[in-house]
Amino acid sequence: MSFLKPTLIESEFKIMTQMNDGHRLFLQSFMSRGILNAKEVKQLFKICCLKYKIPHPENEREAQAPLLEFVRTINNHIEPFHMQIRKGVSEDDGSSSYGLVCTSESTITKLASDYTPSELEFFKKLIEIIVASDNAEVGSTETLNLVSRLENVKKLSKDDAEDLLSRLETNKWIKMTHGKISLATRSLLELDQYILEIYQDDVEKCNICKKLCLKGQTCPSCGTKLHFHCASKLFEKEENPKCPKQGCKKAWPYEIRRTPRKEETIYSRTPEKSQKRKADV
Amino acid sequence: MPRTNKQPDNDRIPSSQVSATQAEKAHSSMDRGEQEKKLHDLVQFLLIMDQKKLPIKKLDINKQVLKEHSKALPVMMKLAEEKLRKIFGIELVSLEDKQKGTYILVNTLDTDVDEQLESDPNLTLTPVDWSDENHAKTGLLMVVLSAIFMNGEVMVDSQLYHMLRKLKVDQDVTHPVFGDVKKQLTVEFVRQGYLEYTRQPNTDPPVFEFRWGFRAKKEITKRNCLDFVSQLYEKNPEEWVSQYQVVVEEEGEEEESSAS
């Protein structure tokens, strides 16, 4: 339409690398799945490149830089819509995942279309009891009883709640193992700001990575908290691990989980860099 | 729902309808920052609303996003359309007839990666992930749409149910996957725009007719259906003379409209 003159928006557009169908398929995959682990992301990149004839190095190592650039291009374009592809780390085993998160303050707008107001309210209450629990884990009975605590929304039956939990698990917001329910990486990625804000005084950040730490090890002396995987890396070669907090340095009384295999990430990093590197793409 | 290589229709927002200068004026009266913010809110809004699979109403767009800048809607929708296409590979479609004044989003990206997966046994990921339930519903829909098409683009309800019963999908029996089959067809698929369910006039007891809905028309080609049925019966599409004729006509129209 000739009467629409290009606005500033459109001219800004030209400075960034343009998106092609490969980027779009990659993005649509994230929109569909929500979260992918490191291995899946590498596969997805390869598939998108194959389909849309984008040059892709055979060697996995060499593919890392182009993949980063690829994601950066997408992130540049989706940033104005409060969307970003971000890296998250599992609090259970330290493995990396990449999720499409909503970065606007209207929390849980992404969930808003998949779940009813009652269900969102239930999920919020679930977060509440998880934060209050010892190991960021709660039992299923306690969880189902949350239906009685829902206020100002349509009631949910316990059957509804069970169905909801099942869907939340399928969509990777929660994990249910051995009868215990905890928040999955996707929730931590999407809701860490929300949790830090709402539960300020009740939650800690990991001393090493400075991110929200729900599951981890706490120094019995000064209360410093570390993720299991952050502690593993910190104490990798330590015979006598000590609390990293200045002014404490007491012996770290926990068993250090030694990771049996090298962590799968889309970055290559040397052990020294791992602690200083920022986690975002 | 099945995505195809269908060429997008050329029913973009009919700009002739709205006074271009009025809309332009309203848009230019906003400062740059406001223009950008509204545009971004609009795109986000459209993406989220489309997840419900219901047509998005102009009324809601004005009420929830544009607000005092409603007059700028035509301009904003044009810009949003471009963003959706360039960034997400999604087409914004303005509906006509009964759904006039509403929009739906249609995926124009071909998400099929069978070829790529077959080429390398190490690749196992399907980019766009569907639940088993969705797969099953799509299967049912495809069967229904194909049947309607093969029958001359309309089918009476009793006929359709009779056919489905032969496939062990009975409207009187709760199906293990589809549940209430009648509801799935007459409520769910209709709501989502895949089917049209109308009553034949002057019938008592009431007789209803099924036709393709507006979303089916945008997402699925008649060629697809004919190919699907042809494969089932192991015949050539051309053997169904009148249906093949319809397919050719539809493709002729597509070529015309994309050339113009």
Side-chain angles (χ1 to χ4, degrees):
Chain A
M1 302 308 298
S2 55
F3 68 90
L4 286 176
K5 299 188 186 62
T7 62
L8 183 64
I9 308 162
E10 286 169 73
S11 41
E12 271 173 3
F13 210 71
K14 287 176 179 62
I15 299 168
M16 301 189 272
T17 312
Q18 296 294 352
M19 281 184 65
N20 57 45
D21 278 347
H23 295 106
R24 293 176 193 121
L25 181 57
F26 193 92
L27 174 58
Q28 283 202 12
S29 181
F30 269 92
M31 287 168 77
S32 157
R33 290 171 164 274
I35 191 161
L36 280 83
N37 63 42
K39 187 165 167 227
E40 289 169 332
V41 172
K42 287 181 209 167
Q43 275 206 24
L44 178 62
F45 182 48
K46 189 160 187 195
I47 290 169
C48 292
C49 288
L50 281 175
K51 186 169 172 85
Y52 292 104
K53 318 263 190 290
I54 299 165
H56 180 272
E58 261 316 306
N59 184 310
E60 209 179 81
R61 223 155 239 294
E62 284 168 32
Q64 280 166 10
L67 172 51
L68 272 183
E69 186 53 40
F70 200 75
V71 175
R72 208 171 286 140
T73 301
I74 296 171
N75 273 340
N76 280 336
H77 282 87
I78 60 177
E79 199 257 319
F81 311 111
H82 309 295
M83 293 161 76
Q84 286 289 272
I85 294 175
R86 286 224 181 116
K87 177 179 140 149
V89 182
S90 163
E91 289 194 327
D92 292 307
D93 61 13
S95 61
S96 305
S97 292
Y98 298 85
L100 182 64
V101 301
C102 177
T103 55
S104 75
E105 258 142 35
S106 49
T107 37
I108 330 187
T109 36
K110 164 91 182 65
L111 295 175
S113 52
D114 296 334
Y115 300 94
T116 66
S118 304
E119 291 174 335
L120 289 178
E121 194 56 32
F122 182 92
F123 187 53
K124 281 187 190 165
K125 291 272 183 258
L126 175 59
I127 295 174
E128 198 179 296
I129 57 172
I130 285 175
V131 165
S133 73
D134 283 333
N135 283 319
E137 280 181 336
V138 292
S140 46
T141 317
E142 191 186 347
T143 304
L144 292 176
N145 284 334
L146 288 173
V147 292
S148 58
R149 285 171 48 181
L150 296 177
E151 285 164 22
N152 301 324
V153 286
K154 204 167 138 199
K155 290 284 167 218
L156 287 177
S157 69
K158 284 200 183 161
D159 279 346
D160 291 333
E162 271 207 59
D163 173 68
L164 171 61
L165 288 175
S166 172
R167 276 157 52 214
L168 285 170
E169 188 185 33
T170 305
N171 292 320
K172 304 204 166 87
W173 296 105
I174 61 173
K175 284 168 93 134
M176 299 203 280
T177 38
H178 313 302
K180 291 284 187 188
I181 299 168
S182 58
L183 294 178
T185 311
R186 189 179 184 188
S187 292
L188 297 173
L189 202 49
E190 181 95 37
L191 302 168
D192 66 343
Q193 289 311 313
Y194 168 81
I195 294 172
L196 284 169
E197 217 177 275
I198 307 281
Y199 298 103
Q200 282 177 34
D201 301 324
D202 304 317
V203 293
E204 298 288 332
K205 285 189 191 177
C206 170
N207 183 280
I208 298 300
C209 69
K210 309 296 185 210
K211 299 227 155 190
L212 173 67
C213 182
L214 290 181
K215 285 185 190 174
Q217 297 170 341
T218 309
C219 175
S221 189
C222 67
T224 295
K225 202 161 178 181
L226 299 181
H227 285 119
F228 295 114
H229 54 272
C230 293
S232 287
K233 280 186 213 101
L234 179 64
F235 301 134
E236 198 169 337
K237 294 179 176 127
E238 285 291 332
E239 287 272 326
N240 302 308
K242 294 190 177 54
C243 176
K245 180 104 189 259
Q246 291 292 346
C248 179
K249 299 294 188 187
K250 296 281 191 310
W252 196 255
Y254 303 100
E255 204 183 296
I256 309 301
R257 294 183 187 178
R258 308 286 171 196
T259 38
R261 53 163 179 76
K262 189 158 175 244
E263 183 192 292
E264 282 249 47
T265 69
I266 63 171
Y267 303 99
S268 62
R269 18 183 207 158
T270 58
E272 307 95 68
K273 281 192 195 152
S274 65
Q275 287 154 28
K276 294 180 218 153
R277 190 189 50 79
K278 301 225 186 324
D280 285 344
V281 169
Chain B
M1 299 298 153
R3 304 289 182 234
T4 70
N5 288 325
K6 187 177 169 76
Q7 291 292 332
D9 270 343
N10 233 349
D11 49 1
R12 304 283 155 92
I13 295 87
S15 54
S16 53
Q17 267 192 353
V18 182
S19 159
T21 29
Q22 252 190 349
E24 254 279 280
K25 254 192 213 152
H27 186 248
S28 333
S29 72
M30 292 161 68
D31 66 55
R32 278 278 156 68
E34 181 91 54
Q35 283 177 350
E36 280 194 38
K37 182 174 189 310
K38 286 293 178 195
L39 176 59
H40 298 146
D41 287 348
L42 178 58
V43 170
Q44 238 192 324
F45 180 75
L46 292 170
L47 286 170
I48 292 175
M49 288 300 279
D50 184 69
Q51 293 207 338
K52 300 190 211 264
K53 287 286 164 249
L54 297 173
I56 306 157
K57 301 191 182 123
K58 275 186 187 173
L59 239 70
D60 288 328
I61 293 171
N62 285 332
K63 198 166 83 170
Q64 308 219 26
V65 185
L66 297 181
K67 301 183 188 166
E68 69 272 26
H69 300 292
S70 311
K71 282 220 169 72
L73 185 135
V75 174
M76 304 252 45
M77 291 308 281
K78 197 94 195 127
L79 293 171
E81 182 189 6
E82 189 183 357
K83 289 281 184 191
L84 286 168
R85 197 179 339 121
K86 284 197 174 152
I87 299 172
F88 300 93
I90 290 173
E91 206 70 31
L92 176 68
V93 176
S94 176
L95 298 176
E96 293 296 320
D97 307 320
K98 274 179 239 158
Q99 289 86 23
K100 205 173 173 95
T102 65
Y103 302 92
I104 55 170
L105 300 186
V106 177
N107 193 356
T108 51
L109 206 60
D110 173 19
T111 56
D112 174 62
V113 295
D114 286 344
E115 200 186 303
Q116 286 71 33
L117 293 179
E118 277 161 28
S119 72
D120 185 344
N122 292 323
L123 295 176
T124 53
L125 185 84
T126 40
V128 178
D129 181 40
W130 292 356
S131 62
D132 287 335
E133 195 187 318
N134 258 327
H135 267 296
K137 285 183 180 167
T138 306
L140 175 64
L141 180 64
M142 200 57 187
V143 167
V144 170
L145 289 174
S146 299
I148 295 171
F149 169 61
M150 295 306 280
N151 200 56
E153 303 186 65
V154 61
M155 203 165 188
V156 161
D157 55 353
S158 50
Q159 250 184 309
L160 185 66
Y161 295 136
H162 179 73
M163 180 207 79
L164 287 175
R165 219 170 288 130
K166 286 203 214 161
L167 298 171
K168 304 273 196 271
V169 176
D170 192 334
Q171 51 141 341
D172 295 321
V173 174
T174 307
H175 191 270
V177 177
F178 308 123
D180 183 342
V181 175
K182 186 157 178 210
K183 187 171 170 204
Q184 182 65 50
L185 296 176
T186 60
V187 177
E188 280 296 308
F189 283 153
V190 171
R191 212 170 50 89
Q192 293 171 341
Y194 287 109
L195 292 179
E196 217 177 77
Y197 183 62
T198 46
R199 187 175 163 159
Q200 259 183 15
N202 307 318
T203 50
D204 189 26
V207 172
F208 292 87
E209 289 176 343
F210 283 101
R211 285 180 178 79
W212 281 33
F214 58 83
R215 196 182 288 275
K217 289 179 192 164
K218 294 273 175 274
E219 287 185 11
I220 302 149
T221 60
K222 298 191 170 134
R223 159 82 60 182
N224 267 5
C225 282
L226 188 57
D227 284 348
F228 173 61
V229 174
S230 305
Q231 277 180 28
L232 272 179
Y233 285 90
E234 293 180 339
K235 282 186 157 165
N236 278 323
E238 294 85 352
E239 294 180 58
W240 278 281
V241 179
S242 52
Q243 287 87 350
Y244 192 73
Q245 189 58 22
V246 175
V247 167
V248 169
E249 263 170 37
E250 181 187 69
E251 292 180 343
E253 277 165 24
E254 286 305 326
E255 274 184 38
E256 264 178 40
S257 61
S258 54
S260 63

